[in-house]
Amino acid sequence: MEDPGYDGDVEDEGRWLCPRCGNKYDDEADKYLRDWCVFNVCFPNGLKVKSSSSPKTNNTPRSSTPITPTFTFRFIAILLVFYFVMIGTRNMVFAEESAEVELLRAQAEKQRDFNKRLLGTLGRVSELGNSLKLELGPVYNDTQSLQTVTDNAGRLLNELQKQTRPLEGKADEERTIRDGPAAVGVQTYLASLKRAEDKLSNLKSTNFRVNQEAMSELGNLLNHGRQQLQALFESLLHEDANAIEPLQFITKQISFPGIPQNKLSELAALDGFVSANQSRTGYQDSSPSARIYANVRGSYLSGSLHNLASASISTSKKKSPDTIYRQGTSGIGTYANAIEGIFLAEWRNITLIFPRDTWSTIFELTTRQAVTEFSKTLRELSVQIKSNITTDCFLAYEIVGIVNLLAIRMDSQTGQLKQQLIDAVKPVRDTAKASIGDLLDDIRRRMGAMITIPNDGAALPITTEVMSRLQALVLYPQPLSSILTSLGDGSWSSSANANGSTASLPSTKSFDVGADGNQLLAHYASDTIEMLLSNLESLAKRLVRSKAIHGVFMANNVAIIDRMIRSSEIQSLFSSTNTPNKVEIWRKKAIGTYLDAWREPCAALMDVQYTNRGARPPSGSNAVDSAAIVKGLSSKDKDALKEKFKSFNLSFEVLSAKHKEMSQSMEREVRSQLARDIQAMIEPLYARFWDRYHEVDKGRGKYVRYDKGTLSAQLSSMG
């Protein structure tokens, strides 16, 4: 291979300096290394050869041509370098491995010597151990036995200390408990009792005879402590157990007082200890604190409500037994409001003192005395109502409604006393159910006992009384809906409901699940009115022969009934339930009966016309020639006309006089209605008859007493 001829920077003569890496190479000796540096390391893309004609300077680049060595040259150079490097490296590795092998051989030799010496030592130690085992074995066994004895003795001492520990501090606890909670404080006293209970529990677990006396002393001490706690609990309750006047809180609309808040926490702590002891002893009855609370607060409730119970009875008594009870007269509503207010205040006290699972039991025990007195009051009122059932039954309806609402409100707020209150009102409810039939039977009984009616056809007082009852009846829709639903639609018409022994027995109609209370109340009111009118009609037919008196009598009663319906809630009850008002039918029937008496004068105004005799009167003509008509009549016909006018005059005057006589007793609506109906019936007939035949009298007034104007004025004056 030829020299590339590159004469780079030369530092010394005969040495070549690489312009990039700065290595120096001999021109001859390092020729191959120089070429490796140039073509493979520093200038892999080739070099430019300096021009020989250019002056040799270090700063000006020479013009050069690229030198590209052949592949063969490069490959040979690489192999040579690799060969020399591998040879040097292999020699070094072999030398190091030889040294390590020698070192390992030396260490293995030392280990074999050590193992031999160790085996010898182990043999001697084993022989020494066997000899020691034979000599020290008995000593070791004795030592183990002594250690066991020592451990047992330690455990026995610990157990003895544990069993005698409950007796420590017994004197301090006894002194605290004997002093009482008032002297040491409630919390300190309770803590001392708790520690004493723990000591007693521990002593009982030992089952040692020597502890029996200490256990008895602690038991007596705890009983004494519990008695003092109960006494404190009762004394705290008595401080706020003075009877109050509920009416003041009701009228002022303020809440009923409860136990002060500062005492509630103290009472709760006392009950907590007593209740905990109760559960530990397994006693299932109410705790002593609960019984004390029920006795003290029960007396407080009963005493506070006593005056209202007496007032409810006194205000329910009427001065006149025939007067219908007026809603709100009795004090039972105030009594019920007081029960609700004071019971709810007591419920709040109980929930803040006692555990939740005892609330219902303690509340029932606390209110039992007051509820019993309330039941007694209702029974007395029931007896009073039965003595005047037709007038005081409305008090029964009021009581049933008030107590039912009270039971619902108490149940919604406390979940208690609903059944007790329903049971308390049951006698009054039975009386109210019996009164439904009694009111109808009273109508039948009183109507059957009547032997006369007014001669002027005036309405009977029983009509006003019955309608007044119905007006009062519809003021109690809620209790009556419940009562009538239990009876069933139409069951009130049976007189069996008046029997107190069967008043509570349900009928098959009472199981109608689709029954509407308001609808039943409307049906009952309608049936009562129908029964009243039917009995009045039967009475009139039995005692009166005159249709005029009969008609006026029925019309007057119907007018009163209709007026009292329209002026009360009965009308809205009928309208809301689409119940037909049958009064109009009876009105038309009564007016028709009265007008039957006026058919006699009307019959006198009837005549007979023969169309085949003489000229037919012109159709549609208003002008009637009475003289011509009378002239064409025979003397017999004229005499008949005179008799008709005479008969009319007599009948009309008698009926008019009777009408004026009865008009004083007629209801205003009846008088005007009858006058209009009489005028509408008589006037057209008389006007026609007069127009045709008034000339039969020739103006003398002997037979024809009334002209059309006079008769019209006479009829108008009837109203």
Side-chain angles (χ1 to χ4, degrees):
M1 179 181 295
E2 294 183 358
D3 191 318
Y6 175 73
D7 48 350
D9 296 333
V10 179
E11 194 175 273
D12 297 325
E13 195 64 31
R15 297 178 66 84
W16 182 80
L17 177 65
C18 179
R20 177 162 295 181
C21 63
N23 292 329
K24 297 178 182 179
Y25 299 97
D26 262 292
D27 288 342
E28 294 299 334
D30 299 328
K31 178 179 180 180
Y32 295 108
L33 294 176
R34 182 193 66 183
D35 291 342
W36 174 260
C37 177
V38 172
F39 297 115
N40 292 284
V41 179
C42 296
F43 301 99
N45 295 324
L47 294 172
K48 293 182 179 180
V49 182
K50 297 180 182 179
S51 177
S52 59
S53 59
S54 299
K56 188 177 181 180
T57 60
N58 293 330
N59 298 326
T60 304
R62 300 172 184 156
S63 61
S64 61
T65 58
I67 301 174
T68 306
T70 63
F71 176 77
T72 304
F73 173 75
R74 290 186 178 182
F75 182 71
I76 294 172
I78 292 171
L79 289 177
L80 291 174
V81 173
F82 182 74
Y83 172 75
F84 289 121
V85 171
M86 290 300 295
I87 291 175
T89 304
R90 186 179 60 186
N91 293 334
M92 293 175 61
V93 171
F94 287 165
E96 292 177 358
E97 291 178 351
S98 298
E100 291 177 359
V101 170
E102 292 297 329
L103 179 60
L104 290 174
R105 288 176 178 172
Q107 291 179 351
E109 187 65 28
K110 291 180 180 180
Q111 186 66 36
R112 282 193 295 271
D113 294 339
F114 177 75
N115 289 340
K116 292 178 181 180
R117 291 194 297 273
L118 183 60
L119 288 174
T121 303
L122 286 175
R124 290 191 296 273
V125 170
S126 178
E127 293 176 359
L128 181 59
N130 291 331
S131 61
L132 289 175
K133 182 177 181 181
L134 294 174
E135 295 176 1
L136 298 178
V139 177
Y140 175 76
N141 292 334
D142 294 341
T143 303
Q144 288 290 100
S145 300
L146 292 174
Q147 184 65 38
T148 302
V149 173
T150 302
D151 293 341
N152 291 337
R155 284 194 293 270
L156 178 60
L157 290 175
N158 292 335
E159 189 66 24
L160 291 174
Q161 291 176 358
K162 185 186 299 183
Q163 300 303 328
T164 57
R165 192 176 298 124
L167 298 176
E168 297 177 359
K170 174 177 173 294
D172 296 336
E173 306 300 349
E174 183 176 3
R175 184 170 52 257
T176 301
I177 294 173
R178 296 293 181 188
D179 290 342
V184 300
V186 174
Q187 297 300 328
T188 303
Y189 194 80
L190 292 177
S192 179
L193 285 176
K194 182 64 172 61
R195 291 192 296 270
E197 281 191 343
D198 293 340
K199 295 178 186 298
L200 180 60
S201 177
N202 292 332
L203 288 175
K204 288 181 178 179
S205 64
T206 61
N207 201 22
F208 289 164
R209 292 183 179 180
V210 294
N211 291 333
Q212 294 299 322
E213 183 178 356
M215 290 167 57
S216 177
E217 293 176 357
L218 280 176
N220 295 333
L221 185 62
L222 286 173
N223 289 333
H224 176 73
R226 294 190 192 100
Q227 292 175 0
Q228 288 195 339
L229 287 181
Q230 295 173 17
L232 176 62
F233 189 86
E234 185 173 2
S235 65
L236 290 176
L237 290 175
H238 275 297
E239 291 176 3
D240 300 286
N242 296 326
I244 61 173
E245 184 54 51
L247 195 59
Q248 297 180 0
F249 299 93
I250 295 174
T251 55
K252 296 179 181 180
Q253 295 183 350
I254 57 178
S255 300
F256 280 78
I259 299 175
Q261 188 64 36
N262 59 338
K263 292 183 180 179
L264 288 174
S265 57
E266 192 169 354
L267 290 171
L270 295 175
D271 174 73
F273 181 85
V274 176
S275 299
N277 179 73
Q278 187 86 353
S279 62
R280 283 193 295 269
T281 57
Y283 190 60
Q284 298 301 321
D285 199 0
S286 57
S287 65
S289 58
R291 293 193 294 272
I292 292 171
Y293 186 92
N295 291 334
V296 175
R297 299 300 292 182
S299 300
Y300 157 77
L301 295 178
S302 179
S304 299
L305 296 172
H306 177 72
N307 291 337
L308 289 179
S310 301
S312 298
I313 296 175
S314 61
T315 54
S316 299
K317 296 179 180 179
K318 299 177 300 181
K319 296 180 179 179
S320 175
D322 297 332
T323 304
I324 294 178
Y325 172 79
R326 186 165 53 88
Q327 187 178 28
T329 303
S330 173
I332 191 66
T334 305
Y335 190 12
N337 291 335
I339 287 176
E340 180 180 4
I342 201 169
F343 278 16
L344 290 179
E346 205 60 38
W347 172 260
R348 288 190 291 270
N349 292 337
I350 291 173
T351 57
L352 294 174
I353 295 175
F354 298 98
R356 186 180 185 88
D357 57 346
T358 63
W359 290 353
S360 59
T361 303
I362 297 174
F363 186 62
E364 193 274 332
L365 288 173
T366 305
T367 58
R368 181 179 295 174
Q369 186 176 353
V371 172
T372 301
E373 186 173 356
F374 183 60
S375 301
K376 179 182 177 182
T377 303
L378 294 182
R379 285 195 298 272
E380 293 182 13
L381 290 174
S382 178
V383 173
Q384 177 180 322
I385 292 169
K386 287 180 179 179
S387 62
N388 299 284
I389 189 69
T390 57
T391 56
D392 288 351
C393 61
F394 308 101
L395 174 59
Y397 306 148
E398 183 178 47
I399 292 173
V400 171
I402 290 173
V403 177
N404 284 347
L405 292 177
L406 173 63
I408 292 172
R409 289 195 298 268
M410 289 300 298
D411 183 63
S412 64
Q413 297 188 60
T414 66
Q416 307 298 324
L417 297 186
K418 181 178 181 180
Q419 190 59 47
Q420 289 88 330
L421 293 173
I422 291 176
D423 292 340
V425 80
K426 189 177 184 299
V428 180
R429 181 180 177 85
D430 291 343
T431 302
K433 289 176 67 175
S435 70
I436 298 297
D438 285 343
L439 293 177
L440 298 178
D441 286 346
D442 179 69
I443 298 174
R444 299 189 191 98
R445 184 174 56 255
R446 293 177 64 181
M447 286 292 190
M450 289 184 181
I451 58 176
T452 184
I453 63 174
N455 293 329
D456 56 0
L460 293 177
I462 190 174
T463 302
T464 303
E465 292 178 15
V466 171
M467 292 308 299
S468 297
R469 292 177 192 170
L470 285 181
Q471 286 181 335
L473 198 72
V474 297
L475 298 178
Y476 308 95
Q478 188 272 332
L480 280 171
S481 296
S482 173
I483 293 170
L484 293 175
T485 301
S486 64
L487 288 174
D489 194 359
S491 297
W492 49 76
S493 60
S494 174
S495 60
N497 287 322
N499 188 353
S501 62
T502 60
S504 300
L505 297 178
S507 65
T508 55
K509 293 182 179 180
S510 66
F511 296 100
D512 181 11
V513 295
D516 180 11
N518 288 333
Q519 188 76 40
L520 294 177
L521 181 57
H523 289 175
Y524 178 76
S526 179
D527 289 351
T528 302
I529 295 172
E530 183 71 17
M531 177 180 290
L532 174 63
L533 290 172
S534 298
N535 281 272
L536 289 171
E537 178 77 5
S538 300
L539 183 66
K541 288 180 179 180
R542 179 165 53 91
L543 300 177
V544 178
R545 294 182 180 180
S546 172
K547 290 188 176 181
I549 298 177
H550 183 172
V552 170
F553 173 74
M554 290 302 300
N556 282 333
N557 284 284
V558 169
I560 291 175
I561 291 172
D562 184 63
R563 185 191 312 138
M564 297 186 76
I565 288 175
R566 297 180 184 278
S567 62
S568 66
E569 295 296 327
I570 303 176
Q571 180 66 32
S572 60
L573 178 65
F574 285 169
S575 301
S576 62
T577 57
N578 296 322
T579 302
N581 191 350
K582 301 177 183 179
V583 175
E584 189 62 29
I585 300 174
W586 285 95
R587 179 189 287 110
K588 292 179 180 180
K589 185 177 180 180
I591 292 174
T593 302
Y594 180 78
L595 293 179
D596 285 343
W598 287 82
R599 295 187 185 279
E600 184 178 353
C602 292
L605 299 177
M606 300 296 178
D607 62 342
V608 180
Q609 297 184 20
Y610 298 95
T611 58
N612 59 349
R613 299 179 184 178
R616 183 178 179 179
S619 177
S621 175
N622 292 327
V624 179
D625 189 354
S626 177
I629 294 174
V630 171
K631 185 178 180 181
L633 298 175
S634 63
S635 60
K636 183 179 179 179
D637 291 337
K638 291 179 181 178
D639 292 340
L641 287 175
K642 291 177 182 178
E643 285 297 325
K644 284 183 176 290
F645 272 110
K646 187 177 179 180
S647 176
F648 171 80
N649 293 337
L650 179 61
S651 178
F652 179 75
E653 289 172 358
V654 171
L655 290 174
S656 296
K658 187 66 175 176
H659 181 85
K660 289 181 179 178
E661 180 184 347
M662 291 188 300
S663 64
Q664 301 300 323
S665 62
M666 288 182 187
E667 299 295 326
R668 177 174 47 83
E669 304 93 326
V670 175
R671 185 167 54 249
S672 60
Q673 180 67 43
L674 290 178
R676 289 194 301 270
D677 291 342
I678 293 171
Q679 187 172 10
M681 184 174 66
I682 298 295
E683 189 172 9
L685 292 174
Y686 188 82
R688 173 191 167 280
F689 198 80
W690 186 90
D691 286 340
R692 291 181 62 82
Y693 306 114
H694 69 276
E695 285 297 330
V696 74
D697 195 29
K698 296 181 180 181
R700 289 175 295 185
K702 182 178 179 180
Y703 299 105
V704 184
R705 295 181 183 179
Y706 306 99
D707 59 12
K708 292 190 292 185
T710 304
L711 184 69
S712 178
Q714 183 78 8
L715 292 173
S716 298
S717 66
M718 291 182 179

